[in-house]
Amino acid sequence: MAQIGKTLLDSGWLAARSTEVNDDGEKLTTTNPPSLGPKSPWMEAAVPGTVLGTLLKNKSIPDPFYGLENETITDIADSGRDYYTFWFSTQFHCKRLLNQYVHLNFRAINYSAEVYLNGHEIVLPKGMFRRHTLDVTDILRPDSDNLLAVIVHPPDHPGTIPPQGGQGGDHEIGKDVAAQYVEGWDWICPIRDRNTGIWDEVSISVTGPVRIIDPHLVSTFYDDYERAYLHVTAELENKSTWNAECSVNIQVTAELENGVCLVEHLHTENVLIPARGNIHHTFKPLYLYKPELWWPNGMGKQNLYDVLITVAVKEFGESDSWMQPFGFRKIESDIDSVTGGRLFKINGEPIFIRGGNWILSDGLLRLSKERYRTDIKFHADMNMNMIRCWGGGLAERPEFYHFCDVYGLLVWQEFWITGDVDGRGDPVSNPNGPLDHDLFLLCARDTIKLLRNHPSLALWVGGNEQVPPEDINEALKQDLRLHPYFTTQLLPDEDSDPSVYLDGTRVYIQGSMWDGFADGKGNFTDGPYKIQYPEDFFKDTYYEYGFNPEVGSVGMPVADTIRATMPPEGWEIPLFKKVSDGFVEEVPNRMWDYHKYIPYSEPGKVHDQILMYGTPENLDDFCLKAQLVNYIQYRALFEGWSSQMWTKYTGVLIWKNQNPWTGLRGQFYDHLLDQTASFYGCRSAAEPVHVQLNLASNFVEVVNTTPKELADVEIEASVWDLDGNCPYSEVFNKVYAPPKTAVKISEFKYPKSENAKPVYFLLLKLYRASDKTVISRNFYWLHLPGKDYTLLEPYRRKQIPLKITCNAVNVGPEYELEINVHNTSRADLAENALQDDGKHGVGLLQKLFSRFGGTEDSNRGLKVVEMKGSDPGVAFFLRFSVHNAEAEKQDTRILPVHYSDNYFSLVPGESMSFKISFSAPTGMKKPPRVMLRGWNYPDGFTVFG
């Protein structure tokens, strides 16, 4: 018997422009299959992917994200749709036996297509966000190669790009059910092919007579979460011409340590499915006692169970199987009576939302599990707990949601409506949304079925800054109405099992500024999106409403990224043009403007924050000073919101977390996956227990987002001047912070002292009084009112001594480093200093090494590096980076890299420990090189490699 299951068709694809192919689909899949050759129009294809991705893979176009190269690529508005209508072709082998059935599956195509298999045509309907499942049993060649060709057509209304650009171009794309960002926005250039292509997974699935379709898993809880029930409804389709007697099995498994699995539940039910029939079978609820709950990032572990459903048919055997990692959790949300903001609860516990907006991983839809893993882990590393999938982007893929499940990121998923494109833009267009409302709802319902079993999915939202047209909105309200259990907490009877609902477990909100978000009434009350004074985020007047779904700012990457993504003419820094009232206007070069650069000044409102450190001399200087601003800006944003947790706010989402291209605004890491300093400012501010300085009131505060009280703790506040002295030090004793509160501790009085220095450093440490273990550490650089940071410029010449100890473990290409950095100046202070000796435990690779005792491919080494220096003082703004020692190109960085912290500073006598993990490039023979640079170490030095 051929093996039951799914096989991906993700390699061996060819592609060609349809106007260059003379054969039709029948010939391409019978007598004239495509092949490569000197005069052939066919090329290797990117599947999954887009037409532009394929052309770039074959170097037929320049990189559209490099410099101004996108301007040289033909836009579909100029070429017509035929130019980006492409054939995609591959071959595959698939055996089947009697009473086995084969389906060809496309998880998404943009926008419409005709499929040819072995000479047979199947027309696929329109829509970017729908699955296509084709029964190809009768046209399959079980004993030879099967020839597959797909001609893919772009969206029907690709639109044109106005000379001035704009939000969604001329808005024509809104007439289709497709991603709207592709016509360009104020944060991205237009995508020339409008993402045409087979952009998601293609597979072949083999089943027996009965197949399993879209099971729905729901958990309910009673007796304070001691009793749980798993509810399951699945569609079962009988492909055969005879009644199928089936046994359907559900197995719930928990993974223990060391790969050992425990079967928590095993249940079987018998069903009869009529010939050629479909049934929706609801199982008897499965009872579990005290299951390990799934929690968001920062609240607990992300416990996942494997739910396996199998169906066996009498006189045939196993017919199909389906498996899904599932988290037992309950999510609730309502409008908070105190703040007016939407308040979320997970497993009965309120959660203060600190997250950000997400467009998509890559503007050419080069999506992968590896990229998604990095993207989502980065968000978890920043201590975020929610990602909003913005309505002009994608219905995100199951792989995205899988890693949100694994790392604990709640997801706000919007449907494909935006105010700019659907009725509120300039000019106003598409007031009734897409032309085909039935298609929109079909795509929405299919998306719900695709994603609803993920515990990370927190809510559905109708659109961005707009509600869907009335008929669509009312249909979604009905489709996504909550099951009574999720509104009354009552035990459902047998006739109202929650798994029979399309979803029924999470709320639907009609738009991003309605019902507890922004002003709750749909007025444009999100934002702002430009540079801010850091202290303003703490002021009661900064934002009026309880939950801001979008607030953004700057996002300049490091200089290496600019050099890697632009030619030399793009390395020119902005001109600083003086305007009225002492303000400065930044005038960027054309490439920066094309890449949507946000200035670090807003004349009339905010003085230039980079010039606070002195006029930058070159690109490296500009980008380094930008990182200083980035860190302060985003730390203050999250700290300001946290300062008024539950009293004024229930949450905030930053616009935005990353760019799907090489943009220069609103990002915590760039498109090459290198983190900016804002990443670590955010990481600091959003830690579950956090000590902070309120920049508006100058009070020291403690933010405790956990469900446990914080007692027997103290706070040490120490000020360090530019000469390495400590003119102020104070310990706040008997600090107490109740669960889920922000507590004002005491005023920080140093700025009011008689001899306060114009520029100084402040180190706050929250620690247990009993054993001095540091719980939270926060380092500030500050200036007195009316001053600036220009005194830090001569401070660069200080030679601060450092001692770095590095312990490295690698298994194959995987590296894990544990590095301790010690500021050895003022050794007289070191003995009594509170140290961060690392609270992260033993790393995964370290465990592997210890367990297996090392192999020829495993290496372990201890290295000590000392940087000599005679000046006492703070080692300021240090940054690790990892490099390929063999690389000959200008950009030698190895990316991505996960750092436990970065862009850090050490006061005299202080040491900190860090973990660094990454994968070395394939084929690299020399060890990677880890560099440490800083304000006092502009050239950097090697600490490993």
Side-chain angles (χ1 to χ4, degrees), residues 550-593:
E550 296 182 15
V551 56
S553 189
V554 292
M556 193 66 191
V558 298
D560 283 341
T561 292
I562 295 297
R563 294 191 182 96
T565 57
M566 297 182 184
E569 52 266 39
W571 303 353
E572 295 294 326
I573 65 175
L575 299 174
F576 296 95
K577 178 183 176 182
K578 292 184 178 180
V579 294
S580 59
D581 299 326
F583 288 94
V584 170
E585 177 187 357
E586 291 185 15
V587 183
N589 66 61
R590 186 180 171 219
M591 286 188 191
W592 287 25
D593 190 55

Tab-separated table of all heavy atoms in Angstrom, residues 550-593:
chain	number	residue	atom	x	y	z
A	550	GLU	N	-1.598	51.616	17.464
A	550	GLU	CA	-0.475	52.029	16.621
A	550	GLU	C	0.173	53.284	17.203
A	550	GLU	O	-0.467	54.327	17.273
A	550	GLU	CB	-0.931	52.372	15.189
A	550	GLU	CG	-1.520	51.241	14.390
A	550	GLU	CD	-1.891	51.676	12.974
A	550	GLU	OE1	-1.418	52.764	12.541
A	550	GLU	OE2	-2.638	50.952	12.295
A	551	VAL	N	1.418	53.184	17.602
A	551	VAL	CA	2.213	54.364	17.918
A	551	VAL	C	3.634	54.059	17.472
A	551	VAL	O	4.175	52.997	17.791
A	551	VAL	CB	2.153	54.742	19.420
A	551	VAL	CG1	2.570	53.592	20.316
A	551	VAL	CG2	2.985	55.984	19.702
A	552	GLY	N	4.215	54.954	16.679
A	552	GLY	CA	5.495	54.618	16.056
A	552	GLY	C	6.521	55.721	16.155
A	552	GLY	O	6.257	56.815	16.654
A	553	SER	N	7.703	55.396	15.650
A	553	SER	CA	8.790	56.364	15.700
A	553	SER	C	9.867	55.944	14.696
A	553	SER	O	9.590	55.277	13.704
A	553	SER	CB	9.349	56.449	17.126
A	553	SER	OG	10.258	57.528	17.233
A	554	VAL	N	11.093	56.322	15.003
A	554	VAL	CA	12.229	56.163	14.105
A	554	VAL	C	12.680	54.707	14.004
A	554	VAL	O	12.187	53.843	14.740
A	554	VAL	CB	13.390	57.045	14.591
A	554	VAL	CG1	13.053	58.519	14.424
A	554	VAL	CG2	13.702	56.745	16.059
A	555	GLY	N	13.645	54.435	13.101
A	555	GLY	CA	14.100	53.055	12.952
A	555	GLY	C	15.374	52.909	12.142
A	555	GLY	O	15.469	52.016	11.308
A	556	MET	N	16.356	53.761	12.388
A	556	MET	CA	17.601	53.701	11.621
A	556	MET	C	18.405	52.462	11.999
A	556	MET	O	18.623	52.180	13.182
A	556	MET	CB	18.435	54.955	11.895
A	556	MET	CG	19.579	55.153	10.931
A	556	MET	SD	18.984	55.477	9.266
A	556	MET	CE	20.505	55.332	8.342
A	557	PRO	N	18.858	51.660	10.997
A	557	PRO	CA	19.708	50.506	11.297
A	557	PRO	C	21.159	50.920	11.493
A	557	PRO	O	21.496	52.114	11.463
A	557	PRO	CB	19.540	49.638	10.051
A	557	PRO	CG	19.329	50.620	8.948
A	557	PRO	CD	18.556	51.756	9.562
A	558	VAL	N	22.034	49.944	11.663
A	558	VAL	CA	23.463	50.214	11.817
A	558	VAL	C	24.072	50.514	10.450
A	558	VAL	O	23.499	50.222	9.395
A	558	VAL	CB	24.192	49.024	12.475
A	558	VAL	CG1	23.656	48.787	13.872
A	558	VAL	CG2	24.065	47.771	11.619
A	559	ALA	N	25.268	51.087	10.454
A	559	ALA	CA	25.911	51.505	9.214
A	559	ALA	C	26.191	50.330	8.288
A	559	ALA	O	26.119	50.464	7.055
A	559	ALA	CB	27.212	52.258	9.534
A	560	ASP	N	26.523	49.175	8.847
A	560	ASP	CA	26.793	48.000	8.012
A	560	ASP	C	25.588	47.650	7.145
A	560	ASP	O	25.750	47.213	5.997
A	560	ASP	CB	27.167	46.800	8.882
A	560	ASP	CG	28.597	46.878	9.401
A	560	ASP	OD1	29.386	47.644	8.813
A	560	ASP	OD2	28.910	46.178	10.375
A	561	THR	N	24.405	47.828	7.668
A	561	THR	CA	23.204	47.521	6.895
A	561	THR	C	23.010	48.526	5.767
A	561	THR	O	22.605	48.152	4.657
A	561	THR	CB	21.972	47.474	7.815
A	561	THR	OG1	22.092	46.336	8.675
A	561	THR	CG2	20.684	47.385	7.033
A	562	ILE	N	23.279	49.790	6.034
A	562	ILE	CA	23.175	50.794	4.959
A	562	ILE	C	24.149	50.445	3.834
A	562	ILE	O	23.794	50.468	2.649
A	562	ILE	CB	23.463	52.195	5.511
A	562	ILE	CG1	22.384	52.603	6.519
A	562	ILE	CG2	23.544	53.219	4.369
A	562	ILE	CD1	20.998	52.720	5.937
A	563	ARG	N	25.371	50.096	4.191
A	563	ARG	CA	26.359	49.764	3.150
A	563	ARG	C	25.981	48.493	2.399
A	563	ARG	O	26.294	48.347	1.218
A	563	ARG	CB	27.745	49.618	3.784
A	563	ARG	CG	28.301	50.905	4.363
A	563	ARG	CD	29.780	50.763	4.724
A	563	ARG	NE	30.280	51.986	5.324
A	563	ARG	CZ	30.367	52.199	6.633
A	563	ARG	NH1	29.998	51.235	7.472
A	563	ARG	NH2	30.829	53.332	7.100
A	564	ALA	N	25.314	47.573	3.084
A	564	ALA	CA	24.938	46.314	2.445
A	564	ALA	C	23.720	46.453	1.552
A	564	ALA	O	23.504	45.611	0.668
A	564	ALA	CB	24.678	45.250	3.510
A	565	THR	N	22.935	47.492	1.742
A	565	THR	CA	21.674	47.617	1.009
A	565	THR	C	21.616	48.825	0.087
A	565	THR	O	20.593	49.043	-0.563
A	565	THR	CB	20.493	47.693	1.992
A	565	THR	OG1	20.683	48.801	2.890
A	565	THR	CG2	20.376	46.415	2.811
A	566	MET	N	22.714	49.598	0.025
A	566	MET	CA	22.752	50.776	-0.837
A	566	MET	C	24.151	50.956	-1.407
A	566	MET	O	25.140	50.637	-0.733
A	566	MET	CB	22.364	52.042	-0.059
A	566	MET	CG	20.959	52.060	0.475
A	566	MET	SD	20.575	53.600	1.335
A	566	MET	CE	18.923	53.228	1.921
A	567	PRO	N	24.257	51.498	-2.625
A	567	PRO	CA	25.574	51.857	-3.162
A	567	PRO	C	26.115	53.094	-2.445
A	567	PRO	O	25.397	53.722	-1.653
A	567	PRO	CB	25.280	52.139	-4.639
A	567	PRO	CG	23.849	52.555	-4.661
A	567	PRO	CD	23.173	51.776	-3.576
A	568	PRO	N	27.370	53.462	-2.688
A	568	PRO	CA	28.002	54.559	-1.932
A	568	PRO	C	27.225	55.862	-1.907
A	568	PRO	O	27.276	56.582	-0.907
A	568	PRO	CB	29.356	54.718	-2.626
A	568	PRO	CG	29.674	53.346	-3.133
A	568	PRO	CD	28.346	52.786	-3.554
A	569	GLU	N	26.503	56.189	-2.979
A	569	GLU	CA	25.753	57.451	-2.946
A	569	GLU	C	24.646	57.428	-1.896
A	569	GLU	O	24.114	58.494	-1.540
A	569	GLU	CB	25.186	57.791	-4.328
A	569	GLU	CG	24.384	56.686	-4.983
A	569	GLU	CD	25.219	55.821	-5.921
A	569	GLU	OE1	26.394	55.523	-5.599
A	569	GLU	OE2	24.676	55.437	-6.982
A	570	GLY	N	24.287	56.255	-1.411
A	570	GLY	CA	23.312	56.155	-0.333
A	570	GLY	C	23.926	56.217	1.043
A	570	GLY	O	23.216	56.100	2.043
A	571	TRP	N	25.239	56.388	1.113
A	571	TRP	CA	25.917	56.436	2.404
A	571	TRP	C	26.027	57.860	2.946
A	571	TRP	O	26.562	58.070	4.047
A	571	TRP	CB	27.319	55.831	2.303
A	571	TRP	CG	27.324	54.415	1.787
A	571	TRP	CD1	26.244	53.617	1.546
A	571	TRP	CD2	28.471	53.635	1.437
A	571	TRP	NE1	26.633	52.386	1.066
A	571	TRP	CE2	27.994	52.367	0.990
A	571	TRP	CE3	29.842	53.879	1.459
A	571	TRP	CZ2	28.854	51.361	0.563
A	571	TRP	CZ3	30.699	52.872	1.036
A	571	TRP	CH2	30.208	51.620	0.590
A	572	GLU	N	25.537	58.832	2.170
A	572	GLU	CA	25.584	60.221	2.616
A	572	GLU	C	24.531	60.442	3.697
A	572	GLU	O	23.372	60.050	3.541
A	572	GLU	CB	25.320	61.161	1.437
A	572	GLU	CG	26.381	61.115	0.347
A	572	GLU	CD	27.731	61.627	0.831
A	572	GLU	OE1	27.734	62.552	1.678
A	572	GLU	OE2	28.764	61.101	0.383
A	573	ILE	N	24.948	61.078	4.778
A	573	ILE	CA	24.016	61.315	5.879
A	573	ILE	C	23.177	62.554	5.579
A	573	ILE	O	23.521	63.350	4.703
A	573	ILE	CB	24.767	61.458	7.211
A	573	ILE	CG1	25.671	62.694	7.215
A	573	ILE	CG2	25.574	60.197	7.496
A	573	ILE	CD1	26.343	62.949	8.543
A	574	PRO	N	22.070	62.742	6.277
A	574	PRO	CA	21.211	63.897	5.998
A	574	PRO	C	21.917	65.224	6.236
A	574	PRO	O	22.835	65.339	7.057
A	574	PRO	CB	20.055	63.714	6.983
A	574	PRO	CG	20.049	62.271	7.315
A	574	PRO	CD	21.481	61.847	7.283
A	575	LEU	N	21.450	66.217	5.489
A	575	LEU	CA	21.848	67.597	5.773
A	575	LEU	C	20.990	68.108	6.918
A	575	LEU	O	19.797	67.810	7.003
A	575	LEU	CB	21.647	68.474	4.539
A	575	LEU	CG	22.442	68.092	3.279
A	575	LEU	CD1	22.022	68.975	2.104
A	575	LEU	CD2	23.935	68.209	3.532
A	576	PHE	N	21.596	68.887	7.803
A	576	PHE	CA	20.867	69.458	8.934
A	576	PHE	C	20.595	70.923	8.623
A	576	PHE	O	21.487	71.766	8.692
A	576	PHE	CB	21.664	69.299	10.229
A	576	PHE	CG	21.861	67.861	10.626
A	576	PHE	CD1	23.014	67.172	10.280
A	576	PHE	CD2	20.876	67.185	11.329
A	576	PHE	CE1	23.195	65.852	10.635
A	576	PHE	CE2	21.047	65.854	11.692
A	576	PHE	CZ	22.202	65.183	11.344
A	577	LYS	N	19.367	71.202	8.262
A	577	LYS	CA	18.972	72.526	7.798
A	577	LYS	C	18.254	73.273	8.914
A	577	LYS	O	17.234	72.818	9.433
A	577	LYS	CB	18.054	72.378	6.579
A	577	LYS	CG	17.527	73.685	6.016
A	577	LYS	CD	16.581	73.391	4.853
A	577	LYS	CE	15.949	74.662	4.324
A	577	LYS	NZ	14.979	74.373	3.219
A	578	LYS	N	18.804	74.435	9.288
A	578	LYS	CA	18.190	75.225	10.337
A	578	LYS	C	16.926	75.899	9.816
A	578	LYS	O	16.911	76.471	8.731
A	578	LYS	CB	19.172	76.280	10.856
A	578	LYS	CG	20.364	75.694	11.606
A	578	LYS	CD	21.257	76.785	12.176
A	578	LYS	CE	22.417	76.170	12.961
A	578	LYS	NZ	23.304	77.230	13.526
A	579	VAL	N	15.866	75.800	10.622
A	579	VAL	CA	14.601	76.456	10.288
A	579	VAL	C	14.220	77.366	11.445
A	579	VAL	O	15.043	77.652	12.328
A	579	VAL	CB	13.504	75.415	9.984
A	579	VAL	CG1	13.840	74.653	8.718
A	579	VAL	CG2	13.314	74.443	11.134
A	580	SER	N	12.977	77.809	11.492
A	580	SER	CA	12.570	78.803	12.489
A	580	SER	C	12.576	78.235	13.899
A	580	SER	O	12.509	77.021	14.113
A	580	SER	CB	11.168	79.316	12.144
A	580	SER	OG	10.242	78.254	12.127
A	581	ASP	N	12.673	79.136	14.866
A	581	ASP	CA	12.561	78.819	16.291
A	581	ASP	C	13.631	77.848	16.776
A	581	ASP	O	13.421	77.106	17.740
A	581	ASP	CB	11.173	78.246	16.615
A	581	ASP	CG	10.059	79.232	16.305
A	581	ASP	OD1	10.291	80.451	16.479
A	581	ASP	OD2	8.976	78.788	15.890
A	582	GLY	N	14.777	77.814	16.108
A	582	GLY	CA	15.880	76.985	16.558
A	582	GLY	C	15.770	75.520	16.203
A	582	GLY	O	16.623	74.722	16.607
A	583	PHE	N	14.754	75.137	15.456
A	583	PHE	CA	14.602	73.747	15.052
A	583	PHE	C	15.472	73.442	13.837
A	583	PHE	O	15.912	74.348	13.119
A	583	PHE	CB	13.138	73.429	14.742
A	583	PHE	CG	12.273	73.356	15.963
A	583	PHE	CD1	11.555	74.467	16.401
A	583	PHE	CD2	12.164	72.173	16.686
A	583	PHE	CE1	10.762	74.400	17.522
A	583	PHE	CE2	11.365	72.097	17.813
A	583	PHE	CZ	10.664	73.208	18.239
A	584	VAL	N	15.696	72.170	13.656
A	584	VAL	CA	16.509	71.698	12.537
A	584	VAL	C	15.707	70.696	11.725
A	584	VAL	O	15.066	69.802	12.292
A	584	VAL	CB	17.815	71.043	13.031
A	584	VAL	CG1	18.538	70.328	11.891
A	584	VAL	CG2	18.729	72.090	13.659
A	585	GLU	N	15.748	70.847	10.408
A	585	GLU	CA	15.108	69.900	9.509
A	585	GLU	C	16.162	69.003	8.888
A	585	GLU	O	17.181	69.489	8.387
A	585	GLU	CB	14.348	70.638	8.408
A	585	GLU	CG	13.707	69.715	7.389
A	585	GLU	CD	13.093	70.465	6.220
A	585	GLU	OE1	13.125	71.713	6.230
A	585	GLU	OE2	12.612	69.794	5.278
A	586	GLU	N	15.947	67.716	8.943
A	586	GLU	CA	16.859	66.780	8.289
A	586	GLU	C	16.444	66.601	6.826
A	586	GLU	O	15.276	66.338	6.531
A	586	GLU	CB	16.834	65.420	8.988
A	586	GLU	CG	17.453	65.430	10.379
A	586	GLU	CD	17.514	64.036	10.977
A	586	GLU	OE1	17.357	63.055	10.223
A	586	GLU	OE2	17.704	63.917	12.208
A	587	VAL	N	17.423	66.715	5.936
A	587	VAL	CA	17.168	66.531	4.511
A	587	VAL	C	17.949	65.295	4.060
A	587	VAL	O	19.160	65.346	3.866
A	587	VAL	CB	17.600	67.760	3.692
A	587	VAL	CG1	17.246	67.555	2.210
A	587	VAL	CG2	16.937	69.020	4.238
A	588	PRO	N	17.275	64.143	3.920
A	588	PRO	CA	17.987	62.912	3.575
A	588	PRO	C	18.310	62.846	2.087
A	588	PRO	O	17.699	63.546	1.269
A	588	PRO	CB	16.990	61.817	3.962
A	588	PRO	CG	15.655	62.450	3.761
A	588	PRO	CD	15.832	63.905	4.123
A	589	ASN	N	19.271	61.983	1.736
A	589	ASN	CA	19.562	61.767	0.324
A	589	ASN	C	18.388	61.032	-0.334
A	589	ASN	O	17.491	60.528	0.334
A	589	ASN	CB	20.880	61.014	0.138
A	589	ASN	CG	20.835	59.593	0.674
A	589	ASN	OD1	20.045	58.762	0.235
A	589	ASN	ND2	21.704	59.293	1.646
A	590	ARG	N	18.401	60.959	-1.655
A	590	ARG	CA	17.265	60.402	-2.384
A	590	ARG	C	17.009	58.943	-2.023
A	590	ARG	O	15.860	58.497	-1.950
A	590	ARG	CB	17.503	60.537	-3.891
A	590	ARG	CG	16.281	60.094	-4.705
A	590	ARG	CD	16.509	60.214	-6.194
A	590	ARG	NE	15.388	59.567	-6.907
A	590	ARG	CZ	15.507	58.847	-7.989
A	590	ARG	NH1	16.701	58.658	-8.521
A	590	ARG	NH2	14.462	58.311	-8.583
A	591	MET	N	18.069	58.174	-1.803
A	591	MET	CA	17.871	56.756	-1.478
A	591	MET	C	17.216	56.585	-0.123
A	591	MET	O	16.323	55.748	0.045
A	591	MET	CB	19.207	56.011	-1.527
A	591	MET	CG	19.712	55.776	-2.918
A	591	MET	SD	21.146	54.708	-2.950
A	591	MET	CE	21.636	54.925	-4.666
A	592	TRP	N	17.644	57.366	0.843
A	592	TRP	CA	17.019	57.277	2.157
A	592	TRP	C	15.553	57.686	2.062
A	592	TRP	O	14.690	57.080	2.712
A	592	TRP	CB	17.746	58.158	3.169
A	592	TRP	CG	19.070	57.618	3.595
A	592	TRP	CD1	19.876	56.770	2.896
A	592	TRP	CD2	19.724	57.889	4.825
A	592	TRP	NE1	21.008	56.506	3.619
A	592	TRP	CE2	20.951	57.177	4.804
A	592	TRP	CE3	19.425	58.667	5.936
A	592	TRP	CZ2	21.858	57.220	5.866
A	592	TRP	CZ3	20.329	58.722	6.996
A	592	TRP	CH2	21.533	57.997	6.952
A	593	ASP	N	15.275	58.702	1.265
A	593	ASP	CA	13.901	59.139	1.099
A	593	ASP	C	13.073	58.034	0.447
A	593	ASP	O	11.936	57.769	0.860
A	593	ASP	CB	13.866	60.405	0.249
A	593	ASP	CG	12.497	61.058	0.243
A	593	ASP	OD1	11.960	61.344	1.325
A	593	ASP	OD2	11.952	61.274	-0.862
